[in-house]
Amino acid sequence: MDTILKFTSHHQGKDRVFRATQFACALSTYLLRTNTDRTKLLSTLKTLEANLNAGRKVFRLGNTINSIQAAKRSLQLSDRVLCLCLTAAHVNRALYFFCDNVLWAKSVGLIRDTNKVSWSTGASRCFLLTLIGSLARDIYVVLQLMVQRARDGHFRQKMIRHLNESPQVAEVIVPHLDAFLFLLLESLKSHPAVVLDTVKNFCDLFSPLDKLGIYPSNSGVVSLCGLVSSVIGIITYVNPSLSIKP
């Protein structure tokens, strides 16, 4: 109970719960869209989704500054690759939140002479670039883990035993693929934080790709991926040990 109270007392925790609920509503709406007997329920779900989206925009009002501070911290990293990936991700995240704030101000009437479509497109582009930077970091970390694992003498012996047990046909058809997959899985097995972050960022990709028309998807796919990403976000927030660092 203390964990739940602590979780909901922070605005980030509330935002993640709202996000998960928002995507759950969107997914339910998609699944029930052809059910004529659930018209009232569909209307309720759409209203709830819209209200949750509006509420989340309020929670995100100060996130631009937080992202700028995060970008400053990432500049201090000694690893140049991590520095580049994370700084780019944080800067684009700051720009995304700025666009999001402008859209919120437009929706409540604080700003009038604003092209909503242009700002929405800009927000999607910044979000996409943020995810690309984050995924680049994830891939870099995975490669580092694989290199470290491959240098381990005990692991090399384990891999040799595994390859000796593999069918000869598979080795001929797909050379080295079995060894690569074995190394990848063994490297990630003891690093769930990397796996969760990679899955989360990959799932988030579908939303900006769809909005920008780069890879169109239906609302069901976007909602499902958003829900998976949101659940992972809640898990990593409740259990910080599952959150990737830096």
Side-chain angles (χ1 to χ4, degrees):
M1 180 60 69
D2 291 338
T3 302
I4 296 176
L5 291 175
K6 181 180 179 181
F7 175 75
T8 55
S9 65
H10 294 80
H11 81 277
Q12 287 188 6
K14 293 178 181 178
D15 178 64
R16 297 185 188 201
V17 171
F18 278 23
R19 187 175 191 264
T21 308
Q22 177 187 343
F23 280 115
C25 290
L27 180 59
S28 299
T29 300
Y30 176 80
L31 295 175
L32 297 172
R33 69 191 186 284
T34 58
N35 193 330
T36 56
D37 297 331
R38 300 296 180 89
T39 305
K40 186 176 181 180
L41 176 59
L42 284 172
S43 178
T44 302
L45 289 172
K46 290 179 180 179
T47 302
L48 178 58
E49 179 189 352
N51 289 334
L52 288 169
N53 184 43
R56 290 184 59 230
K57 287 184 180 296
V58 176
F59 285 140
R60 296 197 295 261
L61 286 177
N63 285 357
T64 299
I65 298 176
N66 294 336
S67 296
I68 293 174
Q69 294 300 321
K72 290 181 179 179
R73 290 193 297 270
S74 64
L75 285 173
Q76 308 303 319
L77 294 173
S78 58
D79 190 311
R80 293 295 91 188
V81 177
L82 284 179
C83 176
L84 176 62
C85 294
L86 290 177
T87 302
H90 290 313
V91 169
N92 281 288
R93 184 177 287 110
L95 293 173
Y96 162 73
F97 285 131
F98 179 76
C99 293
D100 188 68
N101 293 341
V102 172
L103 290 171
W104 172 81
K106 169 71 174 178
S107 66
V108 298
L110 295 177
I111 301 177
R112 295 183 179 179
D113 298 330
T114 302
N115 190 324
K116 183 178 179 180
V117 176
S118 297
W119 281 96
S120 180
T121 301
S124 297
R125 287 174 179 168
C126 292
F127 187 36
L128 177 60
L129 292 174
T130 298
L131 295 173
I132 291 174
S134 298
L135 280 171
R137 184 271 304 271
D138 292 333
I139 294 173
Y140 176 69
V141 172
V142 170
L143 291 176
Q144 281 189 317
L145 293 174
M146 292 176 68
V147 170
Q148 293 173 4
R149 193 69 168 167
R151 291 174 179 172
D152 185 276
H154 295 292
F155 173 76
R156 286 200 297 269
Q157 294 177 1
K158 184 178 180 181
M159 178 181 285
I160 292 173
R161 289 196 300 269
H162 171 76
L163 294 176
N164 290 334
E165 296 172 356
S166 301
Q168 296 296 326
V169 177
E171 295 181 9
V172 173
I173 297 176
V174 190
H176 307 299
L177 178 59
D178 189 22
F180 174 80
L181 292 176
F182 183 75
L183 175 59
L184 175 63
L185 293 176
E186 287 294 321
S187 300
L188 295 177
K189 186 181 295 183
S190 56
H191 295 85
V194 179
V195 178
L196 289 175
D197 194 71
T198 304
V199 173
K200 179 181 181 299
N201 289 325
F202 179 76
C203 288
D204 281 336
L205 273 177
F206 285 88
S207 178
L209 289 177
D210 178 64
K211 290 180 179 179
L212 294 172
I214 299 174
Y215 185 80
S217 304
N218 60 53
S219 58
V221 173
V222 175
S223 300
L224 177 60
C225 291
L227 180 59
V228 172
S229 170
S230 301
V231 171
I232 293 176
I234 292 174
I235 292 173
T236 55
Y237 187 84
V238 173
N239 188 352
S241 64
L242 294 177
S243 180
I244 190 171
K245 299 177 182 62

